[in-house]
Amino acid sequence: MGNDLKSEQIGRIGERQFELLCERAGLFCNKSSVDVMGWDFIVEFPMESIEQGVTLDQRPARGVRIQLKSTLGRSGSRIRLSLSAIDRLAKDAHPAVIVVFRMKSNGELQSGYLVHLIGDELARVLRRLRVAEAHRAHDINHADIGYDFEKAGRRFEPTPAGLLEALTLVCQQSPAAYTVEKQRQLAELGYEQGRFTAEALIRLEGPDHLNDLLLGLVPLKPHQLQVFDNRFGIRLPYQGMLFDDLDELRLIPPTLGSCDVSFRGPGLGPAARFEAEMFIGPPISGGPELLIRHSDFTIRFTPTGLKFETIPVLEGFQRNLAQWVELTRALSLMATGRATITISGNTRIPAISLPADQPIDGPYLDLMPLISEFLGGWQRLLVTAGIRSTAGIDFDAFWGANDARFAVDLFLNPKPLARMEFRELGSAEPPEIIEGLYYNSCSFADVSLTYSVKVLFTRTDDPIWRYRSTGFQPLDVRPKVDDHEEYGADQADAHGLSLIVDPKSITMIHEPSSDPALNSSDRSQ
């Protein structure tokens, strides 16, 4: 009998045996009556019983689509299937498998194999379809795809228990999670190295321009641009509109990983530290360039030296307080022409320190030390008060920060620029020295605080301003209080001070300066 079996007989025997195995395994087997859907059977599992701890509304309906192939044992381990059928089967959102029965020559089942169309096997189908598209072989009804089911499949015993175990492993994931993962794979498989590639015609202005392009420092402006959808390494012309308005591109050079960049001055003052990324350029014009990139600056190490570049303008860029502190400190140090730059923290490049002995050019460099000192001082006051500033701050906000600058000056400047003056005490015998309390609140960016200082007033020979401040001692700083008068009275009692300088009686006077925004302040009562 075995030698006389024809292919259609083998197929019919396999189908009947499969239906019988499903029946004996307690599975519901539904045969396709129209052979265009890609599957021969839909096999469904019985619904779980409520005794298993699953509520009726949460019980999943589990099923699997099956393409069945039967072959004689002497025919080898390769089968061929219609590409159009596998196309539909593989793209179904439900679990989809190829079941292969290997038969003896007498029609008896010898072994079974299950090829699950997910992961690598799904990618194989998608790649085969991609090849057909690239060759414009759209009539996939007359194309096929081959499988070595021994290598690609999972062997199971052709018994009810063996079939049940094999199908259960396919359907063990929840149907919803399986569908999500299947759709992700259908969309992403083959694009692991990126989706788009492009060919562009550009004009180069010389080796330096090419180096800047390859380092991503200047944009690439193509005169002609053709974009390809690149899946499984097979390119097809891109037909969408994503790149219709594209005027320029920026290349991303090979990265060497993250690194730390610090700017230090000649003394023992605080350094400015940043986390940046390190890139390597191609060997053009004498050798490769090392690029350190941060959102606020770039540092280029070339065969001829070091080049530091920062953003061209400060206005229009918001940063939080901590970022402004580091940036203004770095610019202040670089402006002196006596800074040292240290690159460290990268496992592929040893730490290096180089002098930055060429002063930089840019706006507000003469004011940067004052701005940096204020921002660092304000940060210290917030730490003392237990406050944190996280909001984005515009550079223009510095010009209106006189109250906050005044507080920083009183608290942290050993020789404050600010001073206080008043006329007379009204006593018959005015003392030479008076101690008083000054308190106030101030704000900058998104935070406000209240503070108090002890003021030492000394009698002068000035016919109008008879007392002038000659020293300040910080007493308290905290988040802004609601009742200022109560706060002032409490601070005066706590520190034994009878003279209280009410901030409502203070008038601010600016002394002339080249930049009114950064004038020192006089306060008069």
Side-chain angles (χ1 to χ4, degrees), residues 116-387:
H116 189 185
L117 297 178
I118 198 75
D120 290 343
E121 295 308 316
L122 177 58
R124 187 164 179 267
V125 175
L126 297 176
R127 190 183 190 285
R128 177 66 179 84
L129 293 169
R130 186 74 167 189
V131 171
E133 177 66 32
H135 291 88
R136 299 186 179 182
H138 296 153
D139 186 11
I140 59 175
N141 290 314
H142 296 89
D144 55 24
I145 181 171
Y147 282 93
D148 186 332
F149 55 84
E150 286 187 346
K151 293 182 179 179
R154 178 187 181 91
R155 190 181 186 281
F156 66 90
E157 291 298 322
T159 62
L163 178 63
L164 177 61
E165 180 185 9
L167 295 182
T168 300
L169 289 174
V170 171
C171 298
Q172 62 184 350
Q173 192 176 12
S174 74
Y178 186 96
T179 298
V180 170
E181 175 60 17
K182 183 73 169 286
Q183 295 299 328
R184 184 196 69 79
Q185 291 191 19
L186 287 170
E188 298 179 6
L189 285 174
Y191 290 121
E192 290 78 10
Q193 302 302 318
R195 177 168 185 175
F196 299 111
T197 59
E199 294 179 357
L201 178 64
I202 61 173
R203 176 174 291 132
L204 294 176
E205 300 173 3
D208 291 340
H209 183 220
L210 177 59
N211 215 4
D212 289 345
L213 284 175
L214 296 177
L215 286 172
L217 297 175
V218 297
L220 185 153
K221 299 181 178 181
H223 297 281
Q224 295 179 12
L225 179 67
Q226 186 174 8
V227 181
F228 299 90
D229 184 295
N230 189 5
R231 192 173 198 182
F232 300 107
I234 303 170
R235 302 196 314 174
L236 297 176
Y238 174 68
Q239 304 296 330
M241 299 184 294
L242 283 178
F243 304 97
D244 287 357
D245 298 328
L246 183 66
D247 294 323
E248 60 182 37
L249 300 166
R250 279 192 184 270
L251 302 180
I252 300 176
T255 180
L256 296 177
S258 61
C259 64
D260 295 329
V261 182
S262 63
F263 299 82
R264 294 177 290 113
L268 297 177
R273 178 186 172 277
F274 303 85
E275 293 181 2
E277 191 167 6
M278 186 178 296
F279 301 91
I280 187 73
I284 299 176
S285 299
E289 289 195 13
L290 187 65
L291 173 69
I292 310 297
R293 177 179 288 164
H294 183 268
S295 58
D296 288 327
F297 62 84
T298 60
I299 302 173
R300 297 172 64 177
F301 294 90
T302 71
T304 59
L306 176 147
K307 185 176 182 181
F308 173 85
E309 294 180 352
T310 187
I311 54 176
V313 293
L314 296 173
E315 294 88 347
F317 293 87
Q318 283 197 341
R319 299 168 181 80
N320 60 37
L321 177 62
Q323 292 169 334
W324 274 121
V325 167
E326 298 298 328
L327 178 58
T328 56
R329 183 179 295 159
L331 294 177
S332 298
L333 293 172
M334 291 294 292
T336 65
R338 297 182 297 156
T340 299
I341 299 178
T342 299
I343 313 296
S344 61
N346 186 283
T347 58
R348 304 175 66 178
I349 300 293
I352 53 176
S353 295
L354 294 172
D357 52 7
Q358 297 297 321
I360 60 174
D361 297 323
Y364 310 114
L365 285 182
D366 55 335
L367 302 177
M368 206 55 65
L370 292 176
I371 297 175
S372 175
E373 184 178 357
F374 158 62
L375 290 174
W378 181 253
Q379 189 178 52
R380 289 173 58 187
L381 288 187
L382 296 188
V383 171
T384 304
I387 310 173

Side-chain angles (χ1 to χ4, degrees), residues 353-429:
S353 295
L354 294 172
D357 52 7
Q358 297 297 321
I360 60 174
D361 297 323
Y364 310 114
L365 285 182
D366 55 335
L367 302 177
M368 206 55 65
L370 292 176
I371 297 175
S372 175
E373 184 178 357
F374 158 62
L375 290 174
W378 181 253
Q379 189 178 52
R380 289 173 58 187
L381 288 187
L382 296 188
V383 171
T384 304
I387 310 173
R388 184 182 179 189
S389 175
T390 59
I393 305 171
D394 289 315
F395 186 78
D396 290 340
F398 301 148
W399 311 134
N402 285 332
D403 288 344
R405 287 179 45 244
F406 183 76
V408 170
D409 187 44
L410 295 184
F411 260 73
L412 302 176
N413 192 346
K415 296 181 179 180
L417 300 176
R419 67 177 184 271
M420 296 182 184
E421 298 174 334
F422 64 91
R423 300 177 188 275
E424 289 286 358
L425 284 176
S427 57
E429 297 181 3

